[in-house]
Amino acid sequence: QVQPVESGGGSVQSGGSLRLSCSVSPYNPTKYTMAWFRQVPGKEREGVAVITSVDTTDYADFVKGRFTISQDNAKNTVFLQMNSLVPNDTAMYYCAAGPLLLPRLALLLPTSFNQWGQGTQVTVSS
């Protein structure tokens, strides 16, 4: 099992950028699929971006072209670069680790992941 720990959240104006980090320990990029999710009160948790052990990535339609997920194996860290932020991006962002092999249609499903961080808040003002 791994323990993800998120950081980098904060408040930003619309159009701004933030970079979230997820420190994972113990980290073995060949054993896990890593993903970012987000949730606002009263709504279900939704997938944002995912990266596999071979650096294949996938994104929710609402962040394509704006967000980029990456991982630095040497630093045991997964990143989410968020650009062109809008108020609808306001949410608690969670990092999660899941099984090495996941069907493509399951890559952004919260139920596919079983190791979760505590979350980091992102607030975008207009």
Side-chain angles (χ1 to χ4, degrees):
Q1 293 187 347
V2 296
Q3 180 57 59
V5 178
E6 305 93 339
S7 62
S11 298
V12 64
Q13 288 190 332
S14 184
S17 299
L18 282 174
R19 188 191 198 200
L20 304 183
S21 299
C22 174
S23 176
V24 186
S25 62
Y27 185 60
N28 186 337
T30 65
K31 292 186 63 177
Y32 300 99
T33 297
M34 300 299 300
W36 287 95
F37 294 82
R38 69 186 189 185
Q39 189 171 20
V40 297
K43 293 189 176 181
E44 294 185 354
R45 191 168 296 187
E46 58 184 3
V48 175
V50 61
I51 187 165
T52 70
S53 60
V54 292
D55 287 341
T56 301
T57 59
D58 199 8
Y59 299 89
D61 288 342
F62 51 80
V63 302
K64 283 182 179 177
R66 301 189 298 124
F67 291 12
T68 302
I69 189 171
S70 62
Q71 57 188 347
D72 185 331
N73 298 339
K75 296 182 178 180
N76 298 352
T77 304
V78 179
F79 302 99
L80 184 67
Q81 178 66 44
M82 306 186 295
N83 299 327
S84 301
L85 285 162
V86 297
N88 281 349
D89 293 320
T90 295
M92 184 71 79
Y93 283 73
Y94 297 91
C95 178
L100 178 63
L101 297 177
L102 286 171
R104 184 172 182 83
L105 292 179
L107 285 173
L108 288 173
L109 296 179
T111 52
S112 299
F113 294 80
N114 53 7
Q115 303 297 324
W116 293 86
Q118 294 300 306
T120 185
Q121 178 68 37
V122 171
T123 302
V124 184
S125 58
S126 58

